[in-house]
Amino acid sequence: MQHYDVVVIGAGAAGLMCAASAGYRGRSVLVLDHANKAGKKILMSGGGRCNFTNLNTTPDHFVSANPHFCKSALHRYSPWHFVELVERHGVGHVEKAPGQLFCDSSSKAILQVLLTECEWAGAEVRLNTSVTHINDRPVGEGDGSAAPDMDEAGFRLRTGDGEIRCQSLVIAAGGLSIPTLGASPFAYRVAERFGLKVLPTRAGLVPFTLQPSDKAWLAALSGVSADVRAEAGGRAFAEPMLITHRGLSGPAMLQVSSFWAPGDAVTVDWLPAVADPLAALRQARQEQPGNGVEKWLRAFFSQRLAAALAAHFNWSGPLQHYSNEALAEIAAVLKGWRFKPSGTEGYRTAEVTLGGVDTDSVSSKTFEVKSVPGLYFIGEALDVTGELGGFNFQWAWASGWCAGQSL
């Protein structure tokens, strides 16, 4: 029988942060993970450079059924706290976009910071270890109508390496996104086993797939990108859009995917930098009447995209042949093209999981489950999801650190 003050299940961003935070407070801490490597999502994030925080982090950049839940943790552990940590470890970073900080070399540096902090704090990290039972009940068994028996020892965990006991149990097993990296519904099953509500989950920050009619002309443009303004679900983002052989991706599409609902349309402003394209078209007609719409579009898009837009919408012939009404129709399409996605690529490529453990069940200050003393949920397992740009990592650092401070 092995005894620890704290067991953290999940060796990702939130779990490792929590382990180090608790370890520095003198707790004996064990981190368990079924994967063969810690921090796999850290390593692949940001194209291998890890967008590890966003200096402009505020609660407005998060999606949750309870938008107030994240405020306390984000206030107590700010992006500047994490920046100080990585700088203390000598990790260089660059600001690629306003507020978005990336490693200047490799995301391995961020993972090494966390593993070093765990080592210094005395927290043990044990990989290739799955938890099959909690308090003698299989994880995921039942409907939560009767929580596993508790005793003075706190929690009894059964693993392939034997039984482990702990006073406090932290679930940092993440969500369902990118199953090839080991994602699973483990956290949700534990929550349900203890009678907690899990809100419906779906893929977030994920590329869209297209209806056949749209795919017919866009698929040939795979690899082409454009700066657009995309809107869905009442939220709009001015970011690059990438056309792929499967559909539409890039930051603009990933951002709005978290607010889009199946059956809804996505609106794309192809020319967000042009306030009045009708006036620009009329001016071009006056100054260069023999030019066509496609040539005019080349000032804003690649030749391939300009040609595809002109061909798909049948914008042929010189500008001098277009009436004001016809130019207005072109301007309307460019400022408000609408398409209905056939769906998304799902958890296979989603960066995050929307929904999760209902935050009403958890303290926003300590992350302890209100009805189960000693049980904690942090990170992506909770119904708190950030926008693209380092916000989800900041949530992992903040929730992990705050939970560690209360253990």
Side-chain angles (χ1 to χ4, degrees):
M1 178 72 68
Q2 305 164 68
H3 295 266
Y4 292 86
D5 295 328
V6 179
V7 169
V8 179
I9 301 179
L16 293 174
M17 191 69 174
C18 178
S21 177
Y24 278 127
R25 299 186 67 245
R27 306 295 188 264
S28 59
V29 182
L30 172 65
V31 182
L32 298 175
D33 201 300
H34 67 111
N36 61 357
K37 183 182 293 185
K40 285 188 174 182
K41 286 188 74 173
I42 297 174
L43 294 175
M44 61 79 65
S45 67
R49 298 278 295 277
C50 190
N51 180 192
F52 59 82
T53 194
N54 194 305
L55 300 179
N56 300 317
T57 297
T58 63
D60 294 339
H61 292 287
F62 293 83
V63 182
S64 175
N66 179 1
H68 302 289
F69 179 83
C70 64
K71 292 181 178 179
S72 175
L74 294 176
H75 174 74
R76 292 168 61 200
Y77 194 87
S78 73
W80 296 106
H81 287 106
F82 195 76
V83 170
E84 188 276 331
L85 175 64
V86 299
E87 290 181 344
R88 182 155 33 93
H89 283 259
V91 176
H93 52 82
V94 295
E95 188 173 1
K96 284 190 174 183
Q100 297 181 21
L101 299 190
F102 289 74
C103 296
D104 63 3
S105 56
S106 167
S107 54
K108 293 178 181 178
I110 296 298
L111 178 57
Q112 191 55 55
V113 167
L114 297 170
L115 293 175
T116 299
E117 286 290 312
C118 284
E119 180 182 354
W120 290 350
E124 178 186 349
V125 179
R126 190 180 301 175
L127 304 175
N128 294 305
T129 305
S130 297
V131 175
T132 60
H133 293 67
I134 298 178
N135 293 355
D136 299 327
R137 301 285 289 276
V139 174
E141 179 189 84
D143 59 3
S145 58
D149 295 334
M150 301 291 290
D151 59 28
E152 294 181 359
F155 300 89
R156 303 182 303 279
L157 311 179
R158 195 183 305 174
T159 74
D161 292 335
E163 191 167 307
I164 300 169
R165 292 200 174 206
C166 59
Q167 284 295 127
S168 300
L169 177 62
V170 182
I171 307 300
L176 302 173
S177 55
I178 316 184
T180 55
L181 297 182
S184 77
F186 180 90
Y188 310 139
R189 289 173 177 168
V190 173
E192 290 169 344
R193 182 60 264 165
F194 281 91
L196 308 184
K197 182 180 180 181
V198 176
L199 300 180
T201 58
R202 63 184 180 90
L205 300 182
V206 62
F208 288 115
T209 54
L210 296 172
Q211 303 283 356
S213 58
D214 290 319
K215 191 173 182 179
W217 70 281
L218 286 169
L221 297 170
S222 179
V224 173
S225 64
D227 290 330
V228 304
R229 182 180 183 273
E231 181 177 355
R235 292 295 302 272
F237 297 88
E239 301 264 14
M241 177 181 74
L242 174 67
I243 303 171
T244 73
H245 66 280
R246 291 185 296 269
L248 295 178
S249 185
M253 295 297 110
L254 299 185
Q255 293 279 38
V256 297
S257 72
S258 293
F259 302 92
W260 172 80
D264 287 353
V266 176
T267 301
V268 175
D269 177 352
W270 290 95
L271 295 175
V274 181
D276 190 350
L278 175 57
L281 282 164
R282 294 177 67 177
Q283 182 178 350
R285 182 183 60 184
Q286 179 179 349
E287 297 176 354
Q288 299 171 317
N291 288 346
V293 176
E294 178 185 338
K295 189 169 184 179
W296 181 78
L297 290 173
R298 289 179 191 173
F300 309 100
F301 306 114
S302 68
Q303 185 172 341
R304 285 177 64 195
L305 181 54
L309 286 168
H312 178 68
F313 294 107
N314 196 27
W315 297 331
S316 60
L319 286 169
Q320 62 187 351
H321 292 167
Y322 282 81
S323 65
N324 288 340
E325 291 75 12
L327 292 182
E329 290 177 2
I330 295 174
V333 170
L334 291 173
K335 294 299 284 185
W337 176 61
R338 288 166 59 85
F339 73 97
K340 283 192 176 183
S342 63
T344 72
E345 293 188 9
Y347 293 118
R348 183 181 64 83
T349 60
E351 296 196 17
V352 293
T353 303
L354 293 157
V357 179
D358 189 352
T359 57
D360 288 347
S361 307
V362 180
S363 166
S364 62
K365 294 183 178 180
T366 66
F367 292 86
E368 185 175 23
V369 175
K370 297 172 182 178
S371 60
V372 187
L375 180 63
Y376 297 73
F377 284 86
I378 59 175
E380 191 179 353
L382 291 165
D383 173 38
V384 177
T385 305
E387 296 171 4
L388 191 70
F391 297 109
N392 287 292
F393 271 125
Q394 186 56 38
W395 173 245
W397 315 138
S399 61
W401 184 86
C402 289
Q405 292 297 298
S406 69
L407 290 164

